């Protein structure tokens, strides 16, 4: 296979992007995997692409996970790779650890992962494991939070997301109230406040979709 450029080219028609990669040793990997490449939505455009898919239109449960399996399994078959997912596995694959091992995602001041391109809108639809060590570009020198005023720390209307922890009950209680409908329809205000998130181009409808699944 041709490396990250080929992977990115094959992922692009599905509005997916390479969100990072690392070699075995930076973090534990499944047997037979020397390089792991992580895939996530390419913005702007992912939501417009996904909502045209058969999985979104067939009204069956878990459309985005079923779409992810079809697309990432297809990429894996084409590239001679193993496919891994952040859902429906027991025990779950350590996507949080894997993300940090890429050197392109860090623990933010509010504990969510922050990405050099996606900011706090970071998500992964799957990963590809290769039996060879692919050539990888150097990772950024430091987290974007280092040079940021960190508005995320004070953005939550009920203080549910702070450096000391995540008050999940307070978050869900707020989302049940009229005042919480902005988060329900536009996505978590903390994630949206991140300066990198604001330039990522994620569609509000996509955030609303994920909020409905989070708050059910």
């Amino acid at each position: 296979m041709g490396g990250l450029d080929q992977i990115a080219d094959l992922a692009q028609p599905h509005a997916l992007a390479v969100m990072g990669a690392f070699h075995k040793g930076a973090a534990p990997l499944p047997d037979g995997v020397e390089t792991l490449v992580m895939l996530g939505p390419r913005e702007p455009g992912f939501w417009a692409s996904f909502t045209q898919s058969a999985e979104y239109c067939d009204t069956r449960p878990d459309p985005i996970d079923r779409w992810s399996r079809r697309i990432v399994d297809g990429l894996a078959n084409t590239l001679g790779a193993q496919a891994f997912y952040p859902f429906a596995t027991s025990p779950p694959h350590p996507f949080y650890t894997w993300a940090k091992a890429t050197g392109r995602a860090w623990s933010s001041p509010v504990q969510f992962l922050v990405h050099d391109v996606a900011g706090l809108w970071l998500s992964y639809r799957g990963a590809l494991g290769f039996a060879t060590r692919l050539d990888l570009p150097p990772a950024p020198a430091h987290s974007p939070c280092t040079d940021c005023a960190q508005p995320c720390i004070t953005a939550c209307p009920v203080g549910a997301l702070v450096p000391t922890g995540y008050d999940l009950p307070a978050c869900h209680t707020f989302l049940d109230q009229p005042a919480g409908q902005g988060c329900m329809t536009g996505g978590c205000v903390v994630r949206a406040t991140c300066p990198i998130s604001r330039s990522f181009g994620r569609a509000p409808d996509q955030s609303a979709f994920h909020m409905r699944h989070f708050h059910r």
Side-chain angles (χ1 to χ4, degrees):
M1 55 135 343
L4 288 189
D5 287 344
Q6 182 188 11
I7 299 167
D9 287 346
L10 289 171
Q12 184 173 356
H14 308 292
L16 290 176
V18 172
M19 305 301 282
F22 65 95
H23 292 137
K24 183 177 181 179
L29 285 173
D31 290 343
V33 176
E34 292 291 329
T35 306
L36 192 82
V37 178
M38 305 187 74
L39 301 173
R42 178 177 54 79
E43 303 292 3
F46 174 80
W47 193 245
S49 177
F50 167 66
T51 53
Q52 299 302 308
S53 71
E55 290 85 358
Y56 181 81
C57 297
D58 67 13
T59 71
R60 293 168 53 205
D62 303 317
I64 200 165
D65 290 348
R66 290 187 288 113
W67 177 90
S68 299
R69 283 196 179 277
R70 176 170 63 84
I71 299 302
V72 178
D73 279 355
L75 292 172
N77 289 336
T78 298
L79 293 163
Q82 297 183 56
F84 303 97
Y85 298 95
F87 53 84
T89 58
S90 182
H93 295 303
F95 266 71
Y96 190 97
T97 299
W98 288 351
K100 293 179 69 175
T102 69
R104 294 184 57 192
W106 302 263
S107 296
S108 73
V110 291
Q111 302 185 49
F112 290 158
L113 286 172
V114 62
H115 187 261
D116 63 326
V117 173
L120 290 176
W121 286 136
L122 175 63
S123 65
Y124 296 102
R125 295 318 316 158
L128 297 170
F130 295 89
T132 57
R133 289 176 68 87
L134 306 182
D135 289 336
L136 303 180
H142 56 76
S143 164
C145 302
T146 304
D147 303 317
C148 180
Q150 301 183 357
C152 58
I153 294 175
T154 56
C156 181
V158 289
L161 276 165
V162 294
T164 54
Y166 184 13
D167 189 343
L168 190 59
C171 176
H172 282 293
T173 297
F174 178 69
L175 295 176
D176 280 330
Q177 300 171 3
Q181 296 314 294
C183 290
M184 286 297 298
T185 58
C188 171
V189 68
V190 175
R191 294 184 187 271
T193 300
C194 171
I196 301 176
S197 297
R198 291 201 296 267
S199 65
F200 190 51
R202 176 163 159 165
D205 285 353
Q206 180 181 355
S207 296
F209 173 88
H210 288 293
M211 290 299 290
R212 288 195 299 272
H213 283 263
F214 164 70
H215 186 60
R216 61 179 180 179

